[in-house]
Amino acid sequence: MSARYLRKVLEQQEQQQQQQEQQEIDDDEEEENHLSGNQSDDSGTRPSINPFDLLNDDDQDGPDQGDDSEVVNEPLEVNSTKEEQSALENKVNVVSSSSQKSKKKKKKRGKEGSLSSADKVEKPLDAILKTLSLEANSSDHQGGPAKAKAANAKDGGKLVKQCILQVDSKYLNAENELRRIFGSKVVKSFEKSHQAGSSRQIRGGRRGILPHRKTILVTPSDHWPRWDGSVSMEFLETRDGYHYFRYVYSLSYGQAQRKFETDKAIHDLNGIASILLHHPYHLDSLITMAEYFKFVGEHQMSADAIAKSLYALECAWDPMFTPLQGNCQLKFSHETNKPLFSALFTHMRNMDRRGCHRSALEVCKLLLSLDSDDPMGAMFCIDYLSLRAEEYAWLEQFSEGYKSDNSLWLFPNFSYSLAVCRFYLEKEESSKDSHMDNTKATSNDLMKQALMLYPSVLKKLVAKVPLKDRVWTEILKHALFRSDEAGIPSLDHLINLYVERNYIIWRLPDLQKLLRDAAKQVIETQETNRSDAKDWACVRKEVFSSEKNEYAHLLVSDFSDSMPTIPPENLQNFMVDPRVREGIQNEIQDANPPGNGHAPRDVANRNALAVLFESLLPWIHYGDGDGVDEDNQPNGVDQGNEE
């Protein structure tokens, strides 16, 4: 009887306990929903708890409950009195009540733990990073502060240089910048107006054209031939945090390159054009024809040839080559890398002429990051493009972080451009009513410093802009500004580059006033203290100490907005007579074996330059070919039908 009665009592206690637990769970859910903003809780899916397990848990947790457990586990006598039964009930009640209390305590602890974990999850990422940085710094200080500081300074300088030259790919597309400037509707209407007159392009277009690879530097046109894979890239080494690469030519491309060198030696444009008929992505030929198109006034064809060369160069990139991150190097000293520098520089100038200054700035950063020696003179364009793109804050950051010794201001272009940059930043700060940074020099101070360091710039600017006010005549009469030559070959050449590239920004009245006021103050200072001019002259000679022109490879015409032209009759001198070219026909055959693609029979006897002009037009169609022969090798023009 006592065993049955005990089982019955335990069942009743189990039911009561389950009801109480369910009530507590419901209460907890309401409280958690109130605290966490009615967030969902998965407590409803919890399995039911066995009360006997709770008894065992309480035995382990509670040190005072050993006697109770012994009572439950003791063997019971069959004949028990009512007093023993009532005592047993009281003991069971004590056990159940203690287990409920411990359960409540555990739930409270669980709630606190969940809240604390939620707080940890919601902790801001910046605070975590700050904590990590503090811990890292503390460990560094413990390991040796001087050594860690030197290593961090060295690595930090490299990282700053890489980060500051990172290219934003969304600004590389000039068409996107035109849409931002003029609006999408204007650009679309312009494109439709140019496509309306070329309905022949649709009717006579090439058949079976496969989509081109997507590239970031340029957008390939539909009528371009497929990439033939004749150029690739190989990885050389990793040194000082930079990955070094170079381009590699295939065997057929090398034969075409030798043919190009032969035609270039005799100034045969017709022969160079014939190379493009067989090898439409021969880089040097494309760049040469782009120069020819520019001289004859065909600027769109010139830009198209440059874009085609950039498309080929990007298709050859190695998977490890990530130039937009600023951590890859293509040394100009490798002959195969030179076409990329020439094409990027010309592409940058083309976008600048179109008014896409931000896109041109991104290309300039890419050009500067590929070779720290700056063979194309991107350093003498980047300040102008930053000012035209209104990237004033970036220009100041670049001047401070690109070189560890902060010496960029010693170049004449940066000396003047930083003053202009500070002038516009001051205007922005005054318009926003923000507190000006008193630690930096004012635009007036920077302009006076530039005039003292390079006074010969002023006379060249007055003549080039031109500045015709009488006050400029009076300023130029002073001894400091009387000469337009510094007497140092390298410096005079850089000043010529600056004036030719940046003169147009000095046509703004605000900048003319800044220059005029600073020049007057410099003259007043010279009247009282003439030693300053001698000190600045010593600085010039110290910076440009060489007696040779170290920048002679940079042509002033390459930095000019003027477009030189040559009369067509003068270009006939570069069209070699076919009889002269008979001596190099064997070279042509070697460069173009039958399997590598050959010109169609219906254009073989025509002038190659004329055929090249036609092949650049998307509506010109030669036969039924699609630009790919039976061996899937793309050709410069479409194959004719074989009879």
Side-chain angles (χ1 to χ4, degrees):
M1 292 293 293
S2 61
R4 293 179 182 177
Y5 188 76
L6 176 62
R7 192 180 302 111
K8 183 177 180 180
V9 171
L10 291 176
E11 289 177 357
Q12 292 177 356
Q13 294 293 337
E14 180 181 352
Q15 293 177 358
Q16 294 177 0
Q17 189 172 353
Q18 288 180 353
Q19 293 177 359
Q20 292 177 359
E21 288 176 357
Q22 185 63 35
Q23 183 65 28
E24 291 175 358
I25 290 173
D26 295 338
D27 296 340
D28 293 341
E29 287 181 353
E30 293 179 0
E31 292 179 1
E32 290 176 359
N33 291 335
H34 178 70
L35 292 174
S36 60
N38 297 327
Q39 294 181 351
S40 62
D41 187 22
D42 57 352
S43 61
T45 61
R46 298 175 184 172
S48 60
I49 302 174
N50 193 336
F52 293 101
D53 294 337
L54 294 176
L55 292 176
N56 295 332
D57 293 340
D58 293 334
D59 293 340
Q60 296 175 359
D61 295 337
D64 299 329
Q65 296 176 4
D67 298 338
D68 298 334
S69 61
E70 291 177 0
V71 172
V72 175
N73 294 326
E74 279 181 350
L76 299 177
E77 296 180 358
V78 178
N79 297 322
S80 60
T81 60
K82 292 183 179 180
E83 294 178 357
E84 292 176 351
Q85 293 176 356
S86 61
L88 183 60
E89 289 179 4
N90 293 334
K91 289 184 178 181
V92 173
N93 289 333
V94 171
V95 172
S96 62
S97 62
S98 62
S99 64
Q100 290 175 5
K101 289 181 181 179
S102 62
K103 181 66 178 178
K104 288 182 181 179
K105 291 181 181 179
K106 289 180 181 179
K107 286 191 176 182
K108 287 182 181 179
R109 288 194 224 107
K111 275 197 255 182
E112 293 175 356
S114 62
L115 290 176
S116 62
S117 62
D119 293 338
K120 291 178 182 177
V121 172
E122 296 176 358
K123 194 173 183 180
L125 181 60
D126 294 338
I128 296 174
L129 293 176
K130 185 176 180 181
T131 305
L132 291 175
S133 64
L134 288 175
E135 293 175 357
N137 291 336
S138 62
S139 62
D140 290 341
H141 288 311
Q142 292 174 1
K147 185 176 181 180
K149 186 176 181 180
N152 291 336
K154 184 177 179 180
D155 296 338
K158 294 178 183 177
L159 291 175
V160 168
K161 186 175 180 180
Q162 291 180 6
C163 293
I164 205 170
L165 288 178
Q166 285 185 352
V167 179
D168 195 342
S169 59
K170 68 181 179 181
Y171 291 109
L172 280 174
N173 194 328
E175 303 301 328
N176 293 340
E177 184 169 1
L178 290 175
R179 290 185 178 91
R180 289 193 296 269
I181 296 173
F182 301 104
S184 299
K185 294 182 179 180
V186 176
V187 176
K188 287 181 180 179
S189 62
F190 178 79
E191 292 175 351
K192 289 181 179 179
S193 64
H194 280 65
Q195 293 176 358
S198 60
S199 59
R200 292 173 297 172
Q201 178 177 353
I202 301 175
R203 296 195 302 268
R206 300 176 178 179
R207 306 176 190 175
I209 296 179
L210 298 176
H212 291 284
R213 291 177 54 178
K214 291 184 178 181
T215 54
I216 57 177
L217 294 179
V218 294
T219 302
S221 298
D222 293 335
H223 65 277
W224 287 2
R226 291 179 61 193
W227 164 239
D228 55 6
S230 57
V231 181
S232 60
M233 179 180 284
E234 69 173 355
F235 171 74
L236 297 178
E237 62 176 342
T238 298
R239 186 173 69 249
D240 297 333
Y242 290 94
H243 308 297
Y244 289 81
F245 299 84
R246 71 174 176 183
Y247 283 100
V248 180
Y249 296 155
S250 65
L251 180 61
S252 61
Y253 189 97
Q255 294 172 345
Q257 183 68 22
R258 290 191 291 272
K259 166 70 167 57
F260 170 80
E261 297 295 338
T262 303
D263 293 335
K264 181 181 177 182
I266 60 176
H267 306 289
D268 183 9
L269 282 176
N270 208 6
I272 294 174
S274 67
I275 296 175
L276 290 176
L277 295 179
H278 304 285
H279 301 273
Y281 288 110
H282 185 262
L283 303 174
D284 287 328
S285 297
L286 284 171
I287 295 172
T288 301
M289 296 310 301
E291 289 295 311
Y292 168 76
F293 291 144
K294 182 178 70 173
F295 279 113
V296 299
E298 296 291 344
H299 303 300
Q300 184 57 43
M301 286 187 174
S302 175
D304 188 73
I306 292 297
K308 191 179 295 184
S309 63
L310 287 174
Y311 172 72
L313 287 163
E314 184 174 348
C315 287
W317 283 359
D318 188 272
M320 292 178 57
F321 185 67
T322 56
L324 303 188
Q325 303 300 322
N327 60 349
C328 296
Q329 290 280 291
L330 278 171
K331 283 301 180 181
F332 189 77
S333 57
H334 295 292
E335 195 69 26
T336 55
N337 292 342
K338 292 182 179 180
L340 177 63
F341 289 88
S342 300
L344 281 177
F345 187 83
T346 306
H347 185 57
M348 176 189 71
R349 301 290 296 115
N350 290 338
M351 287 193 293
D352 178 40
R353 292 189 181 99
R354 296 179 64 186
C356 302
H357 305 296
R358 181 60 193 275
S359 300
L361 174 62
E362 298 301 318
V363 176
C364 188
K365 291 196 289 186
L366 175 61
L367 189 61
L368 186 60
S369 67
L370 290 177
D371 193 339
S372 56
D373 296 333
D374 191 20
M376 303 302 297
M379 187 73 72
F380 308 110
C381 295
I382 200 166
D383 60 307
Y384 167 78
L385 295 174
S386 300
L387 294 177
R388 294 302 303 269
E390 299 182 359
E391 292 292 318
Y392 309 121
W394 180 88
L395 181 58
E396 275 199 349
Q397 182 184 3
F398 173 78
S399 65
E400 295 171 357
Y402 181 70
K403 288 191 175 182
S404 58
D405 55 357
N406 194 20
S407 60
L408 283 183
W409 66 274
L410 293 174
F411 289 106
N413 59 316
F414 276 95
S415 185
Y416 281 86
S417 294
L418 287 176
V420 176
C421 177
R422 172 47 50 183
F423 173 77
Y424 284 111
L425 287 176
E426 290 173 353
K427 289 183 66 175
E428 290 180 358
E429 292 172 355
S430 61
S431 63
K432 296 178 182 178
D433 295 331
S434 59
H435 181 69
M436 293 187 180
D437 190 358
N438 296 325
T439 60
K440 294 186 177 181
T442 63
S443 58
N444 184 264
D445 293 336
L446 292 175
M447 185 58 66
K448 289 190 295 183
Q449 176 180 282
L451 288 170
M452 292 291 292
L453 186 57
Y454 304 113
S456 59
V457 172
L458 184 60
K459 189 170 184 177
K460 290 182 179 292
L461 281 177
V462 171
K464 184 69 177 178
V465 173
L467 302 175
K468 298 181 179 180
D469 293 344
R470 184 177 300 178
V471 64
W472 295 109
T473 304
E474 298 297 326
I475 291 174
L476 293 179
K477 289 181 179 179
H478 193 270
L480 184 64
F481 303 115
R482 193 174 299 165
S483 175
D484 59 353
E485 297 290 339
I488 304 174
S490 296
L491 177 57
D492 287 332
H493 189 73
L494 291 182
I495 290 175
N496 290 333
L497 293 179
Y498 169 73
V499 173
E500 187 66 34
R501 175 64 281 168
N502 293 51
Y503 78 92
I504 195 170
I505 67 174
W506 293 104
R507 291 182 175 177
L508 298 175
D510 292 342
L511 295 182
Q512 292 181 11
K513 183 178 183 300
L514 174 66
L515 183 63
R516 182 175 60 250
D517 294 344
K520 289 181 178 179
Q521 294 177 17
V522 168
I523 292 175
E524 293 176 358
T525 304
Q526 287 297 301
E527 297 298 331
T528 58
N529 187 5
R530 296 182 180 273
S531 62
D532 288 348
K534 296 180 181 179
D535 295 338
W536 287 111
C538 293
V539 174
R540 287 195 298 272
K541 292 180 180 180
E542 183 69 23
V543 174
F544 301 95
S545 57
S546 177
E547 297 180 357
K548 297 181 180 180
N549 185 2
E550 298 176 343
Y551 303 94
H553 62 283
L554 304 177
L555 302 179
V556 177
S557 58
D558 291 337
F559 294 79
S560 176
D561 285 329
S562 60
M563 302 293 293
T565 57
I566 296 178
E569 56 271 14
N570 293 345
L571 290 174
Q572 296 299 326
N573 298 328
F574 299 97
M575 304 299 176
V576 178
D577 190 89
R579 291 172 295 180
V580 179
R581 299 176 61 240
E582 291 179 358
I584 57 174
Q585 288 301 317
N586 293 332
E587 184 86 22
I588 297 176
Q589 293 177 0
D590 293 338
N592 302 284
N596 282 336
H598 49 82
R601 292 182 302 168
D602 55 351
V603 299
N605 296 324
R606 296 177 56 192
N607 184 283
L609 193 59
V611 176
L612 178 63
F613 267 105
E614 292 180 355
S615 68
L616 294 175
L617 303 176
W619 56 84
I620 297 298
H621 181 56
Y622 298 101
D624 294 330
D626 60 354
V628 182
D629 60 9
E630 294 179 355
D631 296 330
N632 294 327
Q633 293 293 333
N635 302 322
V637 294
D638 294 329
Q639 290 278 25
N641 286 331
E642 296 291 342
E643 295 180 359

